[in-house]
Amino acid sequence: MIKKENKPDRREYTLMVVPHQGQAVRKIRIPILAVKGAICLICLLAIVIAGSFINFRHSATIASAEKAELENLRKSNGDQVTEIEKLAKETAKLQSDMERLNSLDAEIRRIVNNEDTTNTSRAGLVRPSATYSGQGGPRVQSDIDNIKVVVNDLQAAVTIREQSLVELKQELLAKQARLAATPSIWPTSGDVTSRFGWRSSPWGGGGDYHPGIDIANSVGTPIVATADGEVVQSEWYGGYGNMVQINHGNGIATIYGHNSQLLVHTGQVVKKGQVIAYLGNTGASTGPHCHYEIRVNGTAVNPASFLN
């Protein structure tokens, strides 16, 4: 078998230049290989130019987007810095307010407990972690980490403050309840005609022991409970006549005798200052008056020690 040899393409393009006025015709011979090479070069150059243009447009688009994003980030960062500065100032104010509440808490406890020491508050003062710059109070640096520390301190302080105020409220309510249940006001208006203790008997025949005080006034004068409590007796009771007895708790009871009319019944809960009867002259009495008696654990004590 005879192998056919590939011969180079020797074809040519001829360009003829025909001048005017009878000058000689010029011929330019261009090999076809040169034409093909030029076409390939032009195509390659066109591809490179197109790719470069596309890449430039893409890069320009990305750069524009990144520039817009950078501007947004700068604006957002500026807004955040402003907010952080504002938050820092508010946090410093909260610190000041918290310390003022601590001082108020301690002062209220001193008043409640009638003490001169500031150690009555179990909450104590929660010292902030922010740095101080001398006069003018705490200085809060404008960075998020420092603000987080301060906020954590304030959250802890709020928890302690809430617990302290709850305890203080309980103490106030307990003290208020004790005061309300402690006889401290006069049962009625009038003149004291007989005091507590040994006295000359109004019936003659020497002296006797008077377990209360007698307050004289007109029949029908209102008589009030001298403390909160529960009525344990409201009836006729021998020499006391129409009598009311109130249990105030803690072993304290009060007795109101010689009433003309009873306005409460056994088992009724009454408040300090509530009208429970009207003054009268019932029972072993020499004239209209209220026999007022205070007993502690069953023993009569001098009402003067309870009266304002």
Side-chain angles (χ1 to χ4, degrees):
M1 183 176 181
I2 299 175
K3 185 177 180 180
K4 185 178 180 180
E5 294 182 359
N6 293 327
K7 294 181 179 180
D9 191 350
R10 298 184 181 279
R11 291 178 297 172
E12 296 179 343
Y13 288 97
T14 301
L15 297 178
M16 297 180 68
V17 179
V18 180
H20 297 285
Q21 298 178 356
Q23 295 181 2
V25 177
R26 294 182 181 181
K27 295 182 180 180
I28 301 174
R29 299 178 181 276
I30 302 174
I32 193 170
L33 291 178
V35 174
K36 290 181 178 179
I39 294 174
C40 291
L41 182 61
I42 292 172
C43 292
L44 180 61
L45 183 60
I47 292 173
V48 170
I49 292 174
S52 298
F53 179 75
I54 294 173
N55 182 68
F56 172 77
R57 291 294 301 273
H58 179 69
S59 298
T61 302
I62 294 177
S64 177
E66 289 179 346
K67 181 179 179 181
E69 183 178 1
L70 180 59
E71 291 297 327
N72 290 334
L73 288 175
R74 286 176 178 174
K75 184 178 182 302
S76 177
N77 184 63
D79 294 340
Q80 288 180 357
V81 169
T82 301
E83 289 297 323
I84 290 175
E85 291 287 347
K86 181 179 178 182
L87 181 60
K89 293 178 181 179
E90 293 177 352
T91 304
K93 184 178 182 300
L94 285 175
Q95 289 178 339
S96 176
D97 292 342
M98 186 59 65
E99 291 208 5
R100 189 172 63 254
L101 286 176
N102 285 331
S103 299
L104 180 61
D105 178 271
E107 182 179 355
I108 292 175
R109 288 179 182 274
R110 285 198 303 272
I111 295 173
V112 170
N113 298 315
N114 194 25
E115 296 179 359
D116 295 327
T117 175
T118 58
N119 295 327
T120 53
S121 175
R122 293 177 57 186
L125 294 178
V126 178
R127 300 298 181 186
S129 299
T131 57
Y132 282 76
S133 58
Q135 296 181 353
R139 175 178 61 85
V140 181
Q141 297 179 354
S142 301
D143 63 86
I144 195 67
D145 291 334
N146 189 60
I147 293 177
K148 286 181 179 179
V149 171
V150 175
V151 170
N152 289 335
D153 287 344
L154 289 175
Q155 288 176 340
V158 167
T159 300
I160 296 174
R161 173 62 48 241
E162 181 179 14
Q163 179 182 357
S164 177
L165 291 178
V166 168
E167 293 175 357
L168 181 57
K169 177 182 177 181
Q170 292 173 345
E171 291 178 11
L172 287 172
L173 291 176
K175 188 165 186 176
Q176 186 180 45
R178 289 194 301 271
L179 290 174
T182 300
S184 60
I185 62 175
W186 288 82
T188 189
S189 59
D191 299 323
V192 177
T193 56
S194 182
R195 298 189 179 278
F196 176 84
W198 290 100
R199 65 175 183 174
S200 297
S201 175
W203 312 107
D208 63 4
Y209 185 80
H210 190 225
I213 60 174
D214 291 341
I215 305 171
N217 208 327
S218 302
V219 173
T221 302
I223 296 174
V224 301
T226 58
D228 294 355
E230 180 183 355
V231 177
V232 294
Q233 194 173 0
S234 181
E235 59 186 354
W236 183 277
Y237 188 70
Y240 286 89
N242 289 324
M243 183 193 78
V244 174
Q245 181 175 353
I246 301 175
N247 178 24
H248 304 287
N250 298 315
I252 300 175
T254 53
I255 293 176
Y256 313 79
H258 309 303
N259 304 297
S260 61
Q261 183 180 356
L262 305 179
L263 303 180
V264 293
H265 56 82
T266 301
Q268 182 176 344
V269 175
V270 295
K271 294 293 183 180
K272 179 182 289 189
Q274 179 179 337
V275 178
I276 58 173
Y278 293 122
L279 187 145
N281 190 31
T282 59
S285 173
T286 58
H289 71 281
C290 171
H291 172 81
Y292 179 56
E293 191 173 319
I294 297 180
R295 295 181 181 179
V296 178
N297 296 323
T299 301
V301 298
N302 190 352
S305 61
F306 286 84
L307 292 172
N308 293 327

